[in-house]
Amino acid sequence: MQSLIVSNNEAGQRLDKLLTKYLNLAGKSFLYKMMRKKNITLNGKKCDGSEKLLSGDEIKLFLSDETISKFSEVKIPDVKKINLDIIYEDEHILLVNKPSGMLSQKAKDTDESLVEYLIDYMISSGQLSTEQLKSFRPSICNRLDRNTSGLVVGGKSLAGLQVMSEVFKDRSIHKYYNCVVKGEVLKRQTITGFSIKNEATNQVAIHKTSVPGSVPIITEYEPIQHYGGYTLLKVTLITGRTHQIRAHLSSIGHPIVGDYKYGDSRVNEEAKKLFHISSQMLHSFQVVFPDLKEPLAYLSGKSFQAPLPKTFTKICKDWR
């Protein structure tokens, strides 16, 4: 028999959801059968799995240690050691300045991504134990393209994950980007259009009017600095669609330098030759939090910034 005391990171979810994490190799039918037979109880009483857990609740598993071990597998990421560029950290969240070239999340099982590096960091720093990993896994709340750098928010607690994921989903959080584009952009603009994604190629096309399957997009940008036929822009996403900044700017004749999917091949080759730039110059440099729910209300209105990568200064030499 084993007894589990529900922690703050486990509270707020249904009992059956927690059990599928803790006994992750067991089928749901087995779990429901064990609850019906009172081989799994909640606070000493029969349960059906629909109960919402509170911190301090006690779950008893009247199962042999061999059975529990058989159905419980903890996956600890075995990844190379990475020194994460952490901009901010507290008990609930951290903000990481993701470098270009790092995946936000795995695309296949053999990949290493920011999620695995986050878990490894928390284990190595003593903030997370193997036992805790059985029922809670830290993760990220927003994603950036592999070759886009900048701020990614990670959830270290269940509350952190839930609150931050909600504000990214409802778009109440404000996100700002810097990018270097071809040509001289002279004034601030808000541009609109319609985006449609080709799932086979993972590429989007931009249309001026709506077409079947398309979604509306709105992008706002303003010039910060000009240098040698390039412009450093500040970009605000009013909507947030796949590859929106890259495709939308390209569609108006200002592709991002180093973008080999939507960019200008001649400009990319020039940038590679002159400045040794081989990936897209797009950086998520600032987030501003809206009013947040407890227990993260202390972050309401807070703003965080990630400095520009050194690659940007190769072109924007006089930018400060």
Side-chain angles (χ1 to χ4, degrees):
M1 189 274 286
Q2 287 189 17
S3 176
L4 310 175
I5 303 300
V6 175
S7 69
N8 289 334
N9 276 345
E10 297 159 340
Q13 61 185 307
R14 284 170 51 120
L15 171 61
D16 53 4
K17 186 173 181 180
L18 183 141
L19 290 173
T20 59
K21 296 175 183 176
Y22 194 82
L23 300 172
N24 58 317
L25 299 183
K28 288 186 178 181
S29 59
F30 172 80
L31 297 176
Y32 289 124
K33 180 180 179 180
M34 292 301 99
M35 286 186 279
R36 286 197 306 271
K37 297 179 67 174
K38 295 185 69 174
N39 287 334
I40 299 176
T41 63
L42 177 63
N43 296 325
K45 298 179 181 179
K46 186 176 181 179
C47 51
D48 63 15
S50 65
E51 296 82 0
K52 196 167 186 178
L53 297 172
L54 301 174
S55 182
D57 281 347
E58 182 181 32
I59 303 166
K60 286 186 176 179
L61 307 175
F62 294 96
L63 305 169
S64 68
D65 289 342
E66 291 79 8
T67 299
I68 294 173
S69 178
K70 174 184 175 183
F71 289 132
S72 182
E73 179 184 61
V74 181
K75 295 182 179 179
I76 301 176
D78 181 19
V79 295
K80 60 186 176 185
K81 293 298 179 182
I82 294 290
N83 290 322
L84 296 176
D85 184 5
I86 298 174
I87 302 298
Y88 172 81
E89 181 177 10
D90 62 32
E91 64 178 311
H92 293 295
I93 70 164
L94 55 71
L95 278 74
V96 177
N97 183 15
K98 184 189 82 69
S100 174
M102 180 186 289
L103 287 168
S104 293
Q105 290 181 312
K106 283 185 174 185
K108 54 183 183 295
D109 287 342
T110 56
D111 286 338
E112 293 184 5
S113 74
L114 180 54
V115 173
E116 287 72 50
Y117 299 138
L118 168 60
I119 294 172
D120 182 70
Y121 162 73
M122 290 186 64
I123 291 174
S124 299
S125 59
Q127 300 182 64
L128 187 69
S129 68
T130 302
E131 188 67 21
Q132 290 170 320
L133 267 180
K134 289 182 178 180
S135 54
F136 173 75
R137 295 183 76 84
S139 190
I140 58 173
C141 308
N142 66 304
R143 292 180 293 174
L144 296 176
D145 293 340
R146 181 173 198 155
N147 291 319
T148 298
S149 59
L151 290 170
V152 177
V153 179
K156 295 172 56 180
S157 68
L158 183 63
L161 277 173
Q162 290 176 333
V163 173
M164 286 299 166
S165 295
E166 182 177 331
V167 297
F168 276 104
K169 184 176 181 180
D170 66 21
R171 303 198 59 76
S172 58
I173 192 169
H174 299 289
K175 299 177 291 181
Y176 303 96
Y177 296 77
N178 282 135
C179 62
V180 177
V181 299
K182 167 192 173 183
E184 290 195 357
V185 180
L186 301 177
K187 61 181 179 179
R188 180 174 180 168
Q189 294 269 20
T190 298
I191 53 176
T192 61
F194 293 85
S195 171
I196 186 167
K197 183 179 179 182
N198 184 325
E199 296 292 344
T201 62
N202 191 34
Q203 192 162 354
V204 301
I206 305 299
H207 298 267
K208 291 183 178 180
T209 58
S210 178
V211 298
S214 66
V215 291
I217 56 173
I218 306 174
T219 307
E220 181 180 281
Y221 61 85
E222 60 179 298
I224 304 299
Q225 179 197 357
H226 303 99
Y227 180 82
Y230 304 101
T231 304
L232 175 68
L233 297 180
K234 176 183 176 181
V235 181
T236 305
L237 280 178
I238 309 303
T239 57
R241 306 296 184 183
T242 301
H243 301 169
Q244 179 176 321
I245 295 176
R246 298 163 61 191
H248 212 178
L249 290 175
S250 180
S251 74
I252 62 168
H254 294 294
I256 293 175
V257 175
D259 187 343
Y260 286 85
K261 179 169 283 191
Y262 299 101
D264 182 309
S265 59
R266 183 188 61 80
V267 171
N268 290 342
E269 287 305 309
E270 178 184 75
K272 187 174 183 179
K273 180 180 179 180
L274 295 178
F275 306 107
H276 308 290
I277 290 167
S278 57
S279 64
Q280 64 208 30
M281 300 192 71
L282 177 61
H283 179 67
S284 175
F285 81 95
Q286 183 180 24
V287 295
V288 181
F289 293 138
D291 288 338
L292 299 174
K293 297 177 181 178
E294 293 291 358
L296 271 68
Y298 60 92
L299 288 171
S300 296
K302 297 289 187 182
S303 174
F304 298 93
Q305 292 191 21
L308 278 176
K310 292 180 180 179
T311 52
F312 277 65
T313 61
K314 294 178 180 179
I315 290 181
C316 309
K317 294 182 179 180
D318 300 320
W319 188 81
R320 297 289 186 269

